């Protein structure tokens, strides 16, 4: 046992938790310091944390959730219209994020819905579309409720073509629309004539060409492409250049050899090749397949969905079924295009945060240091972000690896209790949509979920936990 006099005769070594000022002051005096990265839990979560951490089901449930996520495969098996793939009928539109009504919809969500009305021929003018949408004549439903995901506004109408992915391990299916490119596009809320014309070309030419090529080729291993693109400088959310190239290389022979008119094939190849984000719409349903496999495990605290509708940010947790836990979506911090600035930005929007939920995107920023030039920041920020995400996750992915970390698996499986205990929120890479309907993309950046999502989910998990008495 250390005696009081020993404090004066033995060398001093300090263990410091919390503020760095004290540690830095000691270090400046050549005193050995052992920093401990400790943070108090989120305010007001103490009792709920005790109940959830004491749940005897939690450890085994989370181990099973992780096992399912890591075992899941993702194969592109078909390309079909939403009417056939998802049963979406005229008068119904899917959208990104948790449920939303027209009255609460943001500018880009409203713009995308107006554009979908024009595209489907349900309205002759934007004003006519807006009147019908405001009247409640059109049904709105989250993409997630139909086994789908949609980037940004994520609006899906019956005639839009969808990628269909299958998980042969767990038997799941997941869907996503085809990527339109960047700039003035429907998913960012633009609905001008060029947007509608592009959507009609995708319906008449691109969708059928991809369908025929996939059916001729056979299942395309999307998970393998994601694993490879992480080795080539992509992170799977805001950088998909390598993934798009790998996908096009996989299907090119079947596109060319299908007997379609040469000018149509050439146009389709140019479109995909010129759209570095084309593969995002394959990575997203691949991630959803893995996380859907981990749903509905009693006692599990793993997050299985993060999604935003431009008004609300919502999460779903394995142990609480299909319930959404929401908070106000925040405006991303990042870089803006042209003369646009923060005053032009809409709060965060899109289902594409499913990539971070599955351990890529912002969680794999260290694999794609060039991403910081697109979303703001420096290379050390990308490395630090990925390292920080290990503190709130349950596992490291066995297939998705980060070369600069010695091929360490990406941080995978967001744990509600770890978020509450550390106060660290998931990091998301995202595009920024203009807040005014019809504007389109105004930038790209970084954003975190609102803390309310996690405190509410923790409370629900505590309510569902067995009594401690």
């Amino acid at each position: 046992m250390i005696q009081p006099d020993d404090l004066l005769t033995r060398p001093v070594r300090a263990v410091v938790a919390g503020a760095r000022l004290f540690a830095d002051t000691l270090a400046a005096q050549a005193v050995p310091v052992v920093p401990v990265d400790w943070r108090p839990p989120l305010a007001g979560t103490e009792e709920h944390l005790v109940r959830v951490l004491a749940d005897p089901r939690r450890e085994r449930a989370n181990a099973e959730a992780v096992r399912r996520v890591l075992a899941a495969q993702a194969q592109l098996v078909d390309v079909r219209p939403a009417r056939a793939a998802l049963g979406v009928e005229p008068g119904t539109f899917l959208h990104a994020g948790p449920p939303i009504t027209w009255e609460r919809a943001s500018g880009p969500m409203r713009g995308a819905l107006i554009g979908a009305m024009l595209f489907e021929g349900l309205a002759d003018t934007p004003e006519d579309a807006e009147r019908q949408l405001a009247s409640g004549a059109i049904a709105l439903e989250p993409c997630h409720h139909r086994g789908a995901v949609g980037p940004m506004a994520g609006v899906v109408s019956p005639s839009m073509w969808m990628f269909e992915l299958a998980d042969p391990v767990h038997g799941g299916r997941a869907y996503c629309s085809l990527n339109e490119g960047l700039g003035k596009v429907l998913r960012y809320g633009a609905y001008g004539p060029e947007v509608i014309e592009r959507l009609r070309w995708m319906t008449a030419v691109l969708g059928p060409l991809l369908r025929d090529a996939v059916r001729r080729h056979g299942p395309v291993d999307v998970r393998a492409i994601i694993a490879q693109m992480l080795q080539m400088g992509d992170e799977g959310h805001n950088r998909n250049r390598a993934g798009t190239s790998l996908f096009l290389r996989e299907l090119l022979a079947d596109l060319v050899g299908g007997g379609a008119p040469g000018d149509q094939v050439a146009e389709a190849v140019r479109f995909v090749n010129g759209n570095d984000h084309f593969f995002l719409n394959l990575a997203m349903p691949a991630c959803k397949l893995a996380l859907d496999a981990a749903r509905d495990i009693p006692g599990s605290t793993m997050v299985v969905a993060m999604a935003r509708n431009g008004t609300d940010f919502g999460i779903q947790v394995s142990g609480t079924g299909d319930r959404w836990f929401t908070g106000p979506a925040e405006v991303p911090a990042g870089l803006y295009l042209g003369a646009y600035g923060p005053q032009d930005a809409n709060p965060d929007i899109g289902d594409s945060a499913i990539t971070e939920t599955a351990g890529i995107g912002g969680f794999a920023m260290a694999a794609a240091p060039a991403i910081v030039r697109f979303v703001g920041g420096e290379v050390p920020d990308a490395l630090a972000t990925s390292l920080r995400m290990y503190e709130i996750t349950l596992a490291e992915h066995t297939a998705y690896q980060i070369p600069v970390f010695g091929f360490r698996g990406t941080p995978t499986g967001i744990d509600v209790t770890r978020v509450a205990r550390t106060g660290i929120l998931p990091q998301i890479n995202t595009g920024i949509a203009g807040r005014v309907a019809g504007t389109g993309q105004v930038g790209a950046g970084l954003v975190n979920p609102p803390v309310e999502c996690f405190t509410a989910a923790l409370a629900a998990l505590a309510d569902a936990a067995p009594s401690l008495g």
Side-chain angles (χ1 to χ4, degrees), residues 89-132:
E89 295 297 333
T92 296
F93 293 146
L94 307 185
H95 64 81
I100 191 74
T101 61
W102 173 260
E103 291 73 23
R104 297 186 66 246
S106 63
M109 181 65 75
R110 289 188 174 204
L113 290 168
I114 290 170
M117 292 282 288
L118 297 172
F119 168 65
E120 291 290 345
L122 297 175
D124 296 324
T125 66
E127 294 74 21
D128 179 28
E130 191 165 357
R131 281 194 297 270
Q132 292 187 57

Side-chain angles (χ1 to χ4, degrees), residues 96 106 108 150-154 179 181-183 185 187-189 235-240 277 280 284 308-310 313 329-337 340-342 344-356 361-362 371 374-376 427-435 440-448:
S106 63
M152 302 309 292
N179 193 287
L182 296 176
V185 290
R187 71 180 187 278
Y188 278 100
E235 40 75 75
H237 189 164
N238 259 341
R239 186 176 173 88
N240 291 275
H277 280 67
L280 171 62
M284 287 172 57
R308 315 87 94 202
N309 56 34
F313 193 116
E330 300 180 1
V331 174
L335 301 178
Y336 288 87
L337 304 174
Y340 292 120
D344 303 302
N346 194 78
D348 195 24
I349 187 169
D351 287 334
S352 53
I354 196 72
T355 56
E356 281 82 7
I371 194 67
F374 187 60
V375 299
Q427 183 68 72
I428 298 167
N429 296 340
T430 186
I432 305 175
R435 63 180 179 83
Q441 185 179 10
V442 299
L446 303 172
V447 74
N448 301 109

